[in-house]
Amino acid sequence: MDPADLLETRELRYFLAVAEEMHFGRAAERLGMAQPPLSRAIQQLERRLGVRLLERDRRGVSLTRAGEVLVLEGRAALDAATAAARRTRRAGEAADAAASGRERLVLAVKAAASHELLQKLLAGYAEEPGAAEVEVLPSGLCGQGEMLRDGRADVALMHTPFNSLAGFDSEELMREGQIAILPAGHPLAARTSLSLAEVRDIPGLPLARWSTDGVYPPGPGPEIHDQTQLAHLIALGRTVTVFAESARAWLWSEHAAVPLTDAPPVVTHIVWPAHSRSLALAALVRTATRL
Amino acid sequence: MDPADLLETRELRYFLAVAEEMHFGRAAERLGMAQPPLSRAIQQLERRLGVRLLERDRRGVSLTRAGEVLVLEGRAALDAATAAARRTRRAGEAADAAASGRERLVLAVKAAASHELLQKLLAGYAEEPGAAEVEVLPSGLCGQGEMLRDGRADVALMHTPFNSLAGFDSEELMREGQIAILPAGHPLAARTSLSLAEVRDIPGLPLARWSTDGVYPPGPGPEIHDQTQLAHLIALGRTVTVFAESARAWLWSEHAAVPLTDAPPVVTHIVWPAHSRSLALAALVRTATRL
DNA sequence: CTCCGGTGATACCCGCCGGGTATCACAGTG
DNA sequence: CACTGTGATACCCGGCGGGTATCACCGGAG
């Protein structure tokens, strides 16, 4: 039996919902359906695969080894499917609308990223003959990987070591050091350099925490939702943070920046799905690497 | 409307079949179904996506821009789905069979690759505590990427510049030069080095051609199906070829090897799907990089 | 011990849709 | 003009995806 026949995307959605909720009832509700057909669908899936996916223990469910594998692989497969749908649809709309067949690229960028590089990139690309229209999609502080994987974006600017480039093609664009950003009046603001360890425990000035994939690292510092809030909190002397050099562009007079000696460099990459064949995308990457 | 709902794997299989055959009737036959329901399925898919995928011109069909996108993205999505099914099923079987939950890794290797490295790798890994069982899957001269993408393999040894590592995670294992392999009696066999250009047109001794993804490059040389055949043809003075240094291991006395000065180095990588979380795999990679 | 609340599973029914066969509409070709 | 080969249409049927009602089971409160 061909394994391609064994998994319908509908079943994948069902299974992932159950695996995330760890509860048939809630999963069914989230899927907008009743619980019994959901139970039956999962049973059918298990029978077809010949594998037990969930351990039904009274009081909730838990994943088997096979179930864990399917969560991982299935998520990737489902993302690939929705990406296929999104990109196909966009390709069709573009062809309809512009008639010229002018493509449209969606570029995901970290909201807080350097505007300078982005502007140079867009300006440079616009010069290019046959350049596609570029829509800039600000993702949260992270999440560009997700955007790329599920087709909401065609290409992204990512920053190691914060984003993982795993599974994508990429080109390095820029490499910069990191700086500590602290209140202008603070004693350490006078220093010409700092170490990570020094910044990590300044008495009375905890490190700000921001969310990667929705979860905040533990610690005493405030939870940061956007850059403006962060700027305020630093200016008020409530917190300190570490950022790439290019953050100097948006500092206030109440802020002080001190280079870090031992922080890993922040590398900006332009990143795209490995299987992409778009000419417009290739041109954008070419432009980017020439900057 | 959520794009995840728009594509069922069944529809993807149908569309890809039609796109490959460029013919509804033949595609239907290949799918083991009648032509009318296939036509209808594609129409439904187009309506749901709101995009025209195929241009029906009397006398066959052709792809629209959107169709081309869906061929690429859909193939990736379908591979991801079959990979999910295969790996889930294997995980379940492993858990059932061994009871110990002992994992089973499938390692894809190019048939003609160096046995030395492979043996060291397997031997080294077997020492590892909690090592999984490793099944070695010889793929053709290429095709390990496909194996990895659709879940027939969990990890592969690949050789740049012949294989593309796009979309995978990888670690470099070994780097070696290339050599020309020619008949022992040939005048050039006495040389201590050669250039690619010199090897490319030796009078009366055309370069052997072997297949990447089933298609052979054009040229006067013989088409090679396996390594033994190649060895024979070289020994007979009918052809010449270029290989990685490690090929010296299987040369005959009728063969001569001459280093190439300007050929790019052959780099052996261990490669795995970027989203993998398998501990057994991680251990294998760790072992490999220590060699 | 008993009853209750909450879990997933079962039983049963219905309407839709995926698949089949027969046929059409159309274009190129002899 | 008849014939061939293309995909599209018309129509029918069975199965399956979805619904409601209910069960079986267990843990905890009283």
Side-chain angles (χ1 to χ4, degrees), chain A residues 40-57:
Chain A
R40 202 184 41 175
I42 302 286
Q43 289 174 47
Q44 281 176 359
L45 179 59
E46 286 178 320
R47 230 174 320 121
R48 195 146 9 103
L49 287 173
V51 158
R52 195 148 190 77
L53 298 171
L54 297 166
E55 214 49 72
R56 280 82 151 178
D57 169 77

Side-chain angles (χ1 to χ4, degrees), chain B residues 208-232:
Chain B
R209 294 174 298 137
W210 57 68
S211 131
T212 327
D213 58 54
V215 63
Y216 289 85
E223 296 185 351
I224 302 303
H225 303 297
D226 62 73
Q227 176 194 314
T228 320
Q229 176 204 9
L230 176 62
H232 271 112

Side-chain angles (χ1 to χ4, degrees), chain B residues 135-234:
Chain B
E135 178 184 341
V136 176
L137 179 67
S139 44
L141 274 177
C142 287
Q144 292 107 302
E146 177 109 353
M147 299 265 170
L148 229 50
R149 246 185 294 273
D150 73 9
R152 275 172 296 181
D154 301 304
V155 53
L157 295 182
M158 291 196 192
H159 308 271
T160 57
F162 309 118
N163 298 110
S164 160
L165 307 179
F168 300 117
D169 275 8
S170 65
E171 287 284 347
E172 179 173 333
L173 295 186
M174 190 175 67
R175 183 176 288 255
E176 52 187 331
Q178 296 196 58
I179 54 178
I181 304 178
L182 23 79
H186 195 277
L188 287 180
R191 293 274 293 272
T192 57
S193 75
L194 284 168
S195 73
L196 267 182
E198 285 176 302
V199 175
R200 219 184 300 278
D201 39 37
I202 305 176
L205 207 59
L207 259 179
R209 294 174 298 137
W210 57 68
S211 131
T212 327
D213 58 54
V215 63
Y216 289 85
E223 296 185 351
I224 302 303
H225 303 297
D226 62 73
Q227 176 194 314
T228 320
Q229 176 204 9
L230 176 62
H232 271 112
L233 288 172
I234 295 174

Side-chain angles (χ1 to χ4, degrees), chain B residues 15-28:
Chain B
F15 172 72
L16 289 176
V18 175
E20 281 170 29
E21 298 284 350
M22 284 304 197
H23 191 287
F24 278 79
R26 283 194 300 273

Side-chain angles (χ1 to χ4, degrees), chain A residues 9 19 21 43-44 71 74 84 99-100 102 109 118 124 137 147 154 188 207 230 271:
Chain A
T9 66
E21 298 284 349
Q43 289 174 47
Q44 281 176 359
V71 166
S100 65
R102 181 183 169 98
V109 296
L118 184 56
L137 179 67
M147 299 266 170
D154 302 303
L188 287 180
L207 257 179
L230 175 63
V271 183

